[in-house]
Amino acid sequence: MGIRENPNARPLKLAEVSEREGIMNLKALYKLGYGMYVIGSRMGDRFNGQIANTVFQITSEPPTIAVSINKSNLTHQFIKGSKVFTASVLCQDTPLSFIGHFGFKSGRDINKLEGIGYKIGKTGAPVIIENAVSYIEAKVLQEIDVGSHTIFIGSIVDADVFNEKPCMSYDYYHQVKRGSTPKTAPSYIKENKEEVSTKMTKYRCSVCGYIYDPENGDPDGGIKPSTLFEDLPDDWVCPVCGAGKDEFEKVD
């Protein structure tokens, strides 16, 4: 069957086509079917976890999944050593601060599971329960070196569903939650500062890249829309990484 053209589609004008020539908008990758996950693993009696968006099913029989992890991350070291990992699927209303805790802090500096709801899985690796919809636990079958990252392919040894809340998609994380992406993530895209609208003065976190937009406020932090950056409480912190107001820079 051939591809049918949409009869109602407006054809692009030559000027519009010319504008697009030679321009590659990598934000198109945000529209792929990514989710938001906490990947857990262990090394001896130590646990760690990190945010990832590249988790996908490989086969259904036997059931296998894969995850892409940056080689510089501590979780990568743990998975390489223990050959096990877990993937907790985050729900749509997960606070940015929770994602930032696992995405912008290092397990080399802090115990990232301290104060977090989790359980020990069948492989001995931690399964994050807090803000999770479901989880999958796997033993590594194969590793694929892809440069900056390793793709770990694992045989599923356990899985369950905690609740029926909607899952957080990567697109929702960016478009609605206004979250930022760690530089070690496989989907990290360096932002063009010229693309940022300046209807109201915005401020960018110099630590994680989160942009405070007065038009949106910070709903998770109780900050109403139309609240100027200057009017934020002195103890307000970045909802993603926890940096203070003095770590923010005006977006020109």
PDB file of all heavy atoms in Angstrom, residues 123-148:
ATOM      1  N   THR A 123      17.756  -9.896  42.717  1.00  0.00           N
ATOM      2  CA  THR A 123      19.187  -9.927  42.401  1.00  0.00           C
ATOM      3  C   THR A 123      20.018  -9.230  43.469  1.00  0.00           C
ATOM      4  O   THR A 123      21.249  -9.188  43.370  1.00  0.00           O
ATOM      5  CB  THR A 123      19.463  -9.235  41.058  1.00  0.00           C
ATOM      6  OG1 THR A 123      19.067  -7.855  41.163  1.00  0.00           O
ATOM      7  CG2 THR A 123      18.688  -9.894  39.931  1.00  0.00           C
ATOM      8  N   GLY A 124      19.354  -8.663  44.475  1.00  0.00           N
ATOM      9  CA  GLY A 124      20.065  -7.911  45.497  1.00  0.00           C
ATOM     10  C   GLY A 124      20.235  -6.449  45.146  1.00  0.00           C
ATOM     11  O   GLY A 124      20.798  -5.679  45.927  1.00  0.00           O
ATOM     12  N   ALA A 125      19.750  -6.044  43.977  1.00  0.00           N
ATOM     13  CA  ALA A 125      19.828  -4.645  43.553  1.00  0.00           C
ATOM     14  C   ALA A 125      18.612  -3.880  44.085  1.00  0.00           C
ATOM     15  O   ALA A 125      17.543  -4.466  44.290  1.00  0.00           O
ATOM     16  CB  ALA A 125      19.895  -4.547  42.035  1.00  0.00           C
ATOM     17  N   PRO A 126      18.743  -2.561  44.291  1.00  0.00           N
ATOM     18  CA  PRO A 126      17.626  -1.777  44.820  1.00  0.00           C
ATOM     19  C   PRO A 126      16.561  -1.492  43.766  1.00  0.00           C
ATOM     20  O   PRO A 126      16.877  -1.192  42.615  1.00  0.00           O
ATOM     21  CB  PRO A 126      18.303  -0.479  45.276  1.00  0.00           C
ATOM     22  CG  PRO A 126      19.470  -0.332  44.360  1.00  0.00           C
ATOM     23  CD  PRO A 126      19.953  -1.737  44.105  1.00  0.00           C
ATOM     24  N   VAL A 127      15.308  -1.592  44.175  1.00  0.00           N
ATOM     25  CA  VAL A 127      14.168  -1.253  43.329  1.00  0.00           C
ATOM     26  C   VAL A 127      13.505  -0.016  43.939  1.00  0.00           C
ATOM     27  O   VAL A 127      13.024  -0.060  45.075  1.00  0.00           O
ATOM     28  CB  VAL A 127      13.141  -2.403  43.263  1.00  0.00           C
ATOM     29  CG1 VAL A 127      11.906  -1.975  42.481  1.00  0.00           C
ATOM     30  CG2 VAL A 127      13.773  -3.640  42.646  1.00  0.00           C
ATOM     31  N   ILE A 128      13.504   1.086  43.211  1.00  0.00           N
ATOM     32  CA  ILE A 128      12.896   2.317  43.710  1.00  0.00           C
ATOM     33  C   ILE A 128      11.372   2.182  43.651  1.00  0.00           C
ATOM     34  O   ILE A 128      10.803   1.906  42.597  1.00  0.00           O
ATOM     35  CB  ILE A 128      13.349   3.532  42.893  1.00  0.00           C
ATOM     36  CG1 ILE A 128      14.878   3.645  42.915  1.00  0.00           C
ATOM     37  CG2 ILE A 128      12.720   4.819  43.438  1.00  0.00           C
ATOM     38  CD1 ILE A 128      15.484   3.730  44.286  1.00  0.00           C
ATOM     39  N   ILE A 129      10.734   2.368  44.802  1.00  0.00           N
ATOM     40  CA  ILE A 129       9.276   2.275  44.907  1.00  0.00           C
ATOM     41  C   ILE A 129       8.629   3.654  44.856  1.00  0.00           C
ATOM     42  O   ILE A 129       7.571   3.839  44.259  1.00  0.00           O
ATOM     43  CB  ILE A 129       8.892   1.559  46.219  1.00  0.00           C
ATOM     44  CG1 ILE A 129       9.435   0.126  46.224  1.00  0.00           C
ATOM     45  CG2 ILE A 129       7.381   1.559  46.424  1.00  0.00           C
ATOM     46  CD1 ILE A 129       9.240  -0.589  47.543  1.00  0.00           C
ATOM     47  N   GLU A 130       9.297   4.623  45.485  1.00  0.00           N
ATOM     48  CA  GLU A 130       8.744   5.981  45.590  1.00  0.00           C
ATOM     49  C   GLU A 130       8.560   6.602  44.203  1.00  0.00           C
ATOM     50  O   GLU A 130       9.472   6.567  43.370  1.00  0.00           O
ATOM     51  CB  GLU A 130       9.695   6.844  46.423  1.00  0.00           C
ATOM     52  CG  GLU A 130       9.158   8.205  46.794  1.00  0.00           C
ATOM     53  CD  GLU A 130      10.062   8.916  47.769  1.00  0.00           C
ATOM     54  OE1 GLU A 130      10.905   8.247  48.414  1.00  0.00           O
ATOM     55  OE2 GLU A 130       9.941  10.140  47.889  1.00  0.00           O
ATOM     56  N   ASN A 131       7.366   7.131  43.938  1.00  0.00           N
ATOM     57  CA  ASN A 131       7.005   7.780  42.670  1.00  0.00           C
ATOM     58  C   ASN A 131       7.043   6.827  41.472  1.00  0.00           C
ATOM     59  O   ASN A 131       7.058   7.279  40.326  1.00  0.00           O
ATOM     60  CB  ASN A 131       7.912   8.980  42.382  1.00  0.00           C
ATOM     61  CG  ASN A 131       7.740  10.098  43.384  1.00  0.00           C
ATOM     62  OD1 ASN A 131       6.620  10.538  43.643  1.00  0.00           O
ATOM     63  ND2 ASN A 131       8.835  10.571  43.957  1.00  0.00           N
ATOM     64  N   ALA A 132       7.051   5.521  41.728  1.00  0.00           N
ATOM     65  CA  ALA A 132       7.141   4.547  40.644  1.00  0.00           C
ATOM     66  C   ALA A 132       5.780   3.940  40.323  1.00  0.00           C
ATOM     67  O   ALA A 132       4.938   3.754  41.203  1.00  0.00           O
ATOM     68  CB  ALA A 132       8.123   3.446  40.985  1.00  0.00           C
ATOM     69  N   VAL A 133       5.587   3.630  39.061  1.00  0.00           N
ATOM     70  CA  VAL A 133       4.382   2.955  38.576  1.00  0.00           C
ATOM     71  C   VAL A 133       4.604   1.448  38.524  1.00  0.00           C
ATOM     72  O   VAL A 133       3.713   0.661  38.830  1.00  0.00           O
ATOM     73  CB  VAL A 133       4.005   3.476  37.170  1.00  0.00           C
ATOM     74  CG1 VAL A 133       2.851   2.687  36.579  1.00  0.00           C
ATOM     75  CG2 VAL A 133       3.670   4.953  37.214  1.00  0.00           C
ATOM     76  N   SER A 134       5.810   1.059  38.130  1.00  0.00           N
ATOM     77  CA  SER A 134       6.149  -0.355  38.000  1.00  0.00           C
ATOM     78  C   SER A 134       7.664  -0.491  38.035  1.00  0.00           C
ATOM     79  O   SER A 134       8.387   0.514  38.080  1.00  0.00           O
ATOM     80  CB  SER A 134       5.598  -0.930  36.686  1.00  0.00           C
ATOM     81  OG  SER A 134       6.179  -0.262  35.577  1.00  0.00           O
ATOM     82  N   TYR A 135       8.133  -1.734  37.995  1.00  0.00           N
ATOM     83  CA  TYR A 135       9.578  -1.943  37.941  1.00  0.00           C
ATOM     84  C   TYR A 135       9.894  -3.214  37.166  1.00  0.00           C
ATOM     85  O   TYR A 135       9.052  -4.105  36.999  1.00  0.00           O
ATOM     86  CB  TYR A 135      10.182  -2.033  39.351  1.00  0.00           C
ATOM     87  CG  TYR A 135       9.947  -3.361  40.047  1.00  0.00           C
ATOM     88  CD1 TYR A 135      10.866  -4.405  39.936  1.00  0.00           C
ATOM     89  CD2 TYR A 135       8.802  -3.587  40.792  1.00  0.00           C
ATOM     90  CE1 TYR A 135      10.653  -5.626  40.562  1.00  0.00           C
ATOM     91  CE2 TYR A 135       8.575  -4.795  41.425  1.00  0.00           C
ATOM     92  CZ  TYR A 135       9.505  -5.816  41.309  1.00  0.00           C
ATOM     93  OH  TYR A 135       9.274  -7.025  41.917  1.00  0.00           O
ATOM     94  N   ILE A 136      11.130  -3.288  36.686  1.00  0.00           N
ATOM     95  CA  ILE A 136      11.649  -4.455  35.986  1.00  0.00           C
ATOM     96  C   ILE A 136      13.042  -4.717  36.532  1.00  0.00           C
ATOM     97  O   ILE A 136      13.820  -3.779  36.751  1.00  0.00           O
ATOM     98  CB  ILE A 136      11.714  -4.217  34.465  1.00  0.00           C
ATOM     99  CG1 ILE A 136      10.337  -3.836  33.921  1.00  0.00           C
ATOM    100  CG2 ILE A 136      12.253  -5.446  33.741  1.00  0.00           C
ATOM    101  CD1 ILE A 136      10.372  -3.287  32.505  1.00  0.00           C
ATOM    102  N   GLU A 137      13.359  -5.984  36.757  1.00  0.00           N
ATOM    103  CA  GLU A 137      14.668  -6.351  37.292  1.00  0.00           C
ATOM    104  C   GLU A 137      15.319  -7.333  36.318  1.00  0.00           C
ATOM    105  O   GLU A 137      14.658  -8.235  35.795  1.00  0.00           O
ATOM    106  CB  GLU A 137      14.505  -6.988  38.666  1.00  0.00           C
ATOM    107  CG  GLU A 137      15.813  -7.270  39.378  1.00  0.00           C
ATOM    108  CD  GLU A 137      15.592  -7.745  40.805  1.00  0.00           C
ATOM    109  OE1 GLU A 137      14.425  -7.952  41.202  1.00  0.00           O
ATOM    110  OE2 GLU A 137      16.594  -7.922  41.511  1.00  0.00           O
ATOM    111  N   ALA A 138      16.614  -7.125  36.053  1.00  0.00           N
ATOM    112  CA  ALA A 138      17.255  -7.944  35.025  1.00  0.00           C
ATOM    113  C   ALA A 138      18.693  -8.311  35.365  1.00  0.00           C
ATOM    114  O   ALA A 138      19.367  -7.621  36.134  1.00  0.00           O
ATOM    115  CB  ALA A 138      17.229  -7.198  33.685  1.00  0.00           C
ATOM    116  N   LYS A 139      19.137  -9.441  34.767  1.00  0.00           N
ATOM    117  CA  LYS A 139      20.537  -9.863  34.824  1.00  0.00           C
ATOM    118  C   LYS A 139      21.147  -9.627  33.445  1.00  0.00           C
ATOM    119  O   LYS A 139      20.546  -9.972  32.424  1.00  0.00           O
ATOM    120  CB  LYS A 139      20.631 -11.346  35.196  1.00  0.00           C
ATOM    121  CG  LYS A 139      20.229 -11.666  36.624  1.00  0.00           C
ATOM    122  CD  LYS A 139      20.443 -13.149  36.936  1.00  0.00           C
ATOM    123  CE  LYS A 139      20.088 -13.467  38.388  1.00  0.00           C
ATOM    124  NZ  LYS A 139      20.283 -14.909  38.689  1.00  0.00           N
ATOM    125  N   VAL A 140      22.339  -9.057  33.419  1.00  0.00           N
ATOM    126  CA  VAL A 140      22.983  -8.683  32.160  1.00  0.00           C
ATOM    127  C   VAL A 140      23.365  -9.920  31.348  1.00  0.00           C
ATOM    128  O   VAL A 140      24.025 -10.839  31.852  1.00  0.00           O
ATOM    129  CB  VAL A 140      24.224  -7.812  32.415  1.00  0.00           C
ATOM    130  CG1 VAL A 140      24.966  -7.539  31.098  1.00  0.00           C
ATOM    131  CG2 VAL A 140      23.830  -6.502  33.088  1.00  0.00           C
ATOM    132  N   LEU A 141      22.941  -9.916  30.081  1.00  0.00           N
ATOM    133  CA  LEU A 141      23.286 -10.983  29.145  1.00  0.00           C
ATOM    134  C   LEU A 141      24.407 -10.559  28.210  1.00  0.00           C
ATOM    135  O   LEU A 141      25.251 -11.367  27.816  1.00  0.00           O
ATOM    136  CB  LEU A 141      22.070 -11.354  28.282  1.00  0.00           C
ATOM    137  CG  LEU A 141      20.871 -12.000  28.964  1.00  0.00           C
ATOM    138  CD1 LEU A 141      19.721 -12.105  27.960  1.00  0.00           C
ATOM    139  CD2 LEU A 141      21.244 -13.374  29.495  1.00  0.00           C
ATOM    140  N   GLN A 142      24.387  -9.270  27.851  1.00  0.00           N
ATOM    141  CA  GLN A 142      25.329  -8.783  26.845  1.00  0.00           C
ATOM    142  C   GLN A 142      25.560  -7.289  27.040  1.00  0.00           C
ATOM    143  O   GLN A 142      24.681  -6.564  27.508  1.00  0.00           O
ATOM    144  CB  GLN A 142      24.775  -9.049  25.441  1.00  0.00           C
ATOM    145  CG  GLN A 142      25.707  -8.676  24.299  1.00  0.00           C
ATOM    146  CD  GLN A 142      25.087  -8.989  22.942  1.00  0.00           C
ATOM    147  OE1 GLN A 142      24.020  -9.580  22.854  1.00  0.00           O
ATOM    148  NE2 GLN A 142      25.771  -8.584  21.881  1.00  0.00           N
ATOM    149  N   GLU A 143      26.766  -6.839  26.695  1.00  0.00           N
ATOM    150  CA  GLU A 143      27.106  -5.423  26.741  1.00  0.00           C
ATOM    151  C   GLU A 143      27.525  -4.973  25.344  1.00  0.00           C
ATOM    152  O   GLU A 143      28.276  -5.680  24.665  1.00  0.00           O
ATOM    153  CB  GLU A 143      28.244  -5.164  27.727  1.00  0.00           C
ATOM    154  CG  GLU A 143      27.955  -5.592  29.147  1.00  0.00           C
ATOM    155  CD  GLU A 143      29.171  -5.426  30.054  1.00  0.00           C
ATOM    156  OE1 GLU A 143      30.102  -4.684  29.641  1.00  0.00           O
ATOM    157  OE2 GLU A 143      29.194  -6.027  31.135  1.00  0.00           O
ATOM    158  N   ILE A 144      27.048  -3.808  24.935  1.00  0.00           N
ATOM    159  CA  ILE A 144      27.422  -3.252  23.629  1.00  0.00           C
ATOM    160  C   ILE A 144      28.055  -1.886  23.853  1.00  0.00           C
ATOM    161  O   ILE A 144      27.417  -0.978  24.396  1.00  0.00           O
ATOM    162  CB  ILE A 144      26.204  -3.127  22.698  1.00  0.00           C
ATOM    163  CG1 ILE A 144      25.524  -4.490  22.506  1.00  0.00           C
ATOM    164  CG2 ILE A 144      26.620  -2.544  21.351  1.00  0.00           C
ATOM    165  CD1 ILE A 144      24.262  -4.417  21.681  1.00  0.00           C
ATOM    166  N   ASP A 145      29.301  -1.746  23.440  1.00  0.00           N
ATOM    167  CA  ASP A 145      30.026  -0.486  23.580  1.00  0.00           C
ATOM    168  C   ASP A 145      29.604   0.455  22.453  1.00  0.00           C
ATOM    169  O   ASP A 145      29.790   0.138  21.270  1.00  0.00           O
ATOM    170  CB  ASP A 145      31.532  -0.756  23.526  1.00  0.00           C
ATOM    171  CG  ASP A 145      32.364   0.472  23.873  1.00  0.00           C
ATOM    172  OD1 ASP A 145      31.972   1.590  23.497  1.00  0.00           O
ATOM    173  OD2 ASP A 145      33.414   0.320  24.523  1.00  0.00           O
ATOM    174  N   VAL A 146      29.035   1.606  22.821  1.00  0.00           N
ATOM    175  CA  VAL A 146      28.611   2.575  21.802  1.00  0.00           C
ATOM    176  C   VAL A 146      29.293   3.925  22.034  1.00  0.00           C
ATOM    177  O   VAL A 146      28.684   4.979  21.889  1.00  0.00           O
ATOM    178  CB  VAL A 146      27.072   2.723  21.783  1.00  0.00           C
ATOM    179  CG1 VAL A 146      26.426   1.506  21.186  1.00  0.00           C
ATOM    180  CG2 VAL A 146      26.515   3.005  23.174  1.00  0.00           C
ATOM    181  N   GLY A 147      30.564   3.886  22.394  1.00  0.00           N
ATOM    182  CA  GLY A 147      31.308   5.121  22.571  1.00  0.00           C
ATOM    183  C   GLY A 147      31.207   5.652  23.984  1.00  0.00           C
ATOM    184  O   GLY A 147      31.784   5.096  24.919  1.00  0.00           O
ATOM    185  N   SER A 148      30.457   6.732  24.155  1.00  0.00           N
ATOM    186  CA  SER A 148      30.320   7.345  25.482  1.00  0.00           C
ATOM    187  C   SER A 148      29.450   6.516  26.414  1.00  0.00           C
ATOM    188  O   SER A 148      29.486   6.689  27.632  1.00  0.00           O
ATOM    189  CB  SER A 148      29.719   8.751  25.350  1.00  0.00           C
ATOM    190  OG  SER A 148      28.420   8.687  24.769  1.00  0.00           O
TER     191      SER A 148
END
